[in-house]
Amino acid sequence: MRTVGKNMTHGCHVWACILFLIDRKGGQQEMIDFRQLMRTEAYDFLREDKRLGDRIILLGLGGSYAYGTNNENSDVDFRGITLNLPSDLLGLTVFEQYEDKKTDTVIYAFNKIVKLLLDCNPNTREILGLDEEQYLIRTELGQELLDNRGLFLSKRAVKSFGGYAGAQLRRLQNAAARDALPQTEKEKHILNSVRNALNDFERRYSSFDKGRIHLYIDKSENPDLETEIFVDADYQHLPLRDYENMWSVMHNVVKDYDKVGKRNRKKDDDHLNKHAMHLIRLFMMAIDILEKGEIRTKRKKDLDLLLKIRNGGFQKEDKTFSSEFYDILADYELRMEKASNESCLPDNPDMERVEAFVEHVNRIAVDM
């Protein structure tokens, strides 16, 4: 592996030449040159869009290639950060992220990703913890952001990573419930999952005092169901966006539950094993942050366990997960609780230092 590029200044990119090995059936390996991939026509937007080009300060691998858990079915994802335009900072334009669905590329505006990093958002935090060779573009400002990643580390990781891990766990529980429980018990399980999801909502909206919602199970009016979840809701002067967010939370729980079993069984198994793997991976990353103040996206030392989970090593014949898997999960839950109690990280980021760094970067962005 080698790095090709000029000296790092805020206008000069470092393009890393990465040859990534993928294990294939029969012991063969395929090499992917991500630098060459970025030069193809499919990625012209990186060079041609006015919000990207020389304004990109970081671009790296995302998803399974970033974690090191990729297999022959893995898609290539790129994740990046670009400077806001002067009109975003001084004028009336608004920009949060650029997304190219054809290539699974997402590039966040600098100001947007700062807010996500302050909330300890797991999906965006990963770009600050890649290995050296996993960065495809890294400018001087990009390196400054990496050097200052400690500004964004706090005990908020417990809630944010725990929330994401909880969502993954609910998917596994919903799948197990669909395959193993009678309809009346399944409905109780969905109700519990929805209530857990609403607890997350209420934590985010701690001043939520616009009304109430009551969820309960009663005899169904649908002839195909014995029992069913019902809702009594009473709200006044509730912002429409809050209302939509709350119902989306509940809708997504039910939708995720109903999806399981309606797809191809092999795909179901693959999806569930990925959920199980990401559940454990989220705990691993959170513990690193709390114990060591480190963001480690590529899980080199943990790959054996993560790949065993992804490859179905803990899934039983009835498609539920073994007690060994839940023992591992319980151990990580305890480790994260201990790490949270003993962590030297602050409860919240130092906003004065964050503001100073953001102002420094945005002054450069305005002059470009």
Side-chain angles (χ1 to χ4, degrees):
M1 297 182 182
R2 60 193 179 92
T3 300
V4 179
K6 300 178 182 179
N7 293 330
M8 290 190 295
T9 68
H10 67 259
C12 299
H13 293 85
V14 172
W15 297 78
C17 178
I18 301 177
L19 299 180
F20 209 104
L21 300 179
I22 308 174
D23 289 325
R24 299 288 187 175
K25 292 181 180 179
Q28 296 180 345
Q29 293 183 322
E30 179 179 330
M31 301 178 74
I32 295 182
D33 185 338
F34 290 104
R35 179 177 175 236
Q36 185 62 35
L37 181 63
M38 287 199 313
R39 288 176 173 171
T40 62
E41 184 178 350
Y43 290 89
D44 279 348
F45 63 89
L46 291 174
R47 295 167 286 278
E48 297 174 356
D49 191 277
K50 69 175 184 178
R51 290 191 171 277
L52 306 179
D54 288 341
R55 303 192 77 83
I56 298 175
I57 62 172
L58 279 181
L59 186 73
L61 301 181
S64 58
Y65 284 100
Y67 313 138
T69 58
N70 55 290
N71 62 22
E72 67 272 13
N73 298 315
S74 297
D75 295 324
V76 174
D77 304 333
F78 290 159
R79 296 291 179 266
I81 303 171
T82 189
L83 296 175
N84 288 84
L85 289 174
S87 59
D88 301 331
L89 302 169
L90 303 174
L92 297 177
T93 59
V94 177
F95 172 65
E96 292 194 338
Q97 68 187 55
Y98 184 103
E99 184 172 358
D100 184 77
K101 294 184 178 180
K102 291 182 180 179
T103 61
D104 288 324
T105 299
V106 179
I107 301 178
Y108 296 93
F110 176 73
N111 278 12
K112 171 66 174 180
I113 204 163
V114 164
K115 294 175 183 177
L116 293 171
L117 292 172
L118 287 171
D119 287 336
C120 209
N121 177 279
N123 290 337
T124 53
R125 190 157 296 262
E126 294 167 0
I127 196 172
L128 299 186
L130 298 177
D131 283 2
E132 180 88 9
E133 70 274 9
Q134 291 180 306
Y135 289 107
L136 305 175
I137 298 176
R138 184 179 54 188
T139 68
E140 184 177 86
L141 282 181
Q143 185 61 48
E144 282 192 52
L145 177 58
L146 295 177
D147 292 341
N148 284 279
R149 56 192 145 204
L151 291 176
F152 305 99
L153 299 184
S154 71
K155 290 183 182 178
R156 291 181 183 181
V158 177
K159 185 176 290 187
S160 59
F161 277 81
Y164 274 69
Q168 297 289 347
L169 181 57
R170 282 196 295 274
R171 289 187 177 97
L172 299 183
Q173 292 171 330
N174 286 345
R178 184 178 186 94
D179 286 340
L181 298 177
Q183 189 270 322
T184 54
E185 293 300 313
K186 291 176 185 177
E187 207 70 7
K188 291 179 183 178
H189 179 82
I190 299 174
L191 175 61
N192 185 57
S193 293
V194 171
R195 282 175 173 162
N196 287 337
L198 280 181
N199 286 338
D200 292 338
F201 177 87
E202 289 170 356
R203 278 194 292 271
R204 290 197 300 272
Y205 296 88
S206 55
S207 61
F208 196 69
D209 57 359
K210 304 293 186 180
R212 60 182 289 276
I213 184 169
H214 176 51
L215 301 168
Y216 58 97
I217 292 177
D218 204 347
K219 185 177 179 180
S220 178
E221 299 172 1
N222 184 338
D224 294 330
L225 302 173
E226 293 182 42
T227 61
E228 190 173 2
I229 300 172
F230 289 86
V231 179
D232 294 337
D234 180 22
Y235 295 105
Q236 291 184 348
H237 202 63
L238 177 67
L240 178 62
R241 289 176 180 82
D242 286 351
Y243 178 82
E244 190 276 333
N245 285 340
M246 182 176 63
W247 281 98
S248 213
V249 165
M250 293 188 289
H251 169 73
N252 287 336
V253 170
V254 177
K255 183 178 70 173
D256 284 346
Y257 178 89
D258 287 341
K259 276 183 179 179
V260 178
K262 292 185 178 179
R263 298 184 299 252
N264 174 276
R265 170 56 70 181
K266 179 63 167 64
K267 288 185 179 179
D268 273 348
D269 291 348
D270 289 343
H271 278 85
L272 291 177
N273 287 322
K274 276 188 71 175
H275 288 320
M277 178 190 71
H278 287 309
L279 170 60
I280 300 300
R281 182 186 59 78
L282 285 166
F283 279 109
M284 290 172 172
M285 288 193 68
I287 290 168
D288 280 343
I289 290 171
L290 293 167
E291 287 184 346
K292 307 171 186 175
E294 295 179 356
I295 305 171
R296 287 200 299 115
T297 304
K298 191 172 183 179
R299 310 305 308 179
K300 296 176 184 177
K301 296 180 180 179
D302 305 312
L303 282 184
D304 287 346
L305 174 59
L306 293 176
L307 290 175
K308 181 178 179 179
I309 298 171
R310 178 165 190 173
N311 294 330
F314 295 95
Q315 198 175 50
K316 299 191 295 185
E317 290 185 5
D318 63 0
K319 307 307 176 185
T320 61
F321 286 83
S322 67
S323 59
E324 183 183 358
F325 172 78
Y326 286 105
D327 287 343
I328 292 171
L329 174 59
D331 179 62
Y332 273 102
E333 289 175 328
L334 288 173
R335 285 179 59 186
M336 189 166 86
E337 182 180 0
K338 182 175 184 289
S340 175
N341 293 333
E342 298 177 358
S343 179
C344 295
L345 291 179
D347 292 335
N348 297 293
D350 183 336
M351 291 306 298
E352 287 190 12
R353 294 180 62 203
V354 172
E355 289 281 4
F357 178 69
V358 171
E359 182 178 342
H360 160 69
V361 172
N362 282 336
R363 284 185 181 275
I364 295 173
V366 168
D367 291 337
M368 284 182 66

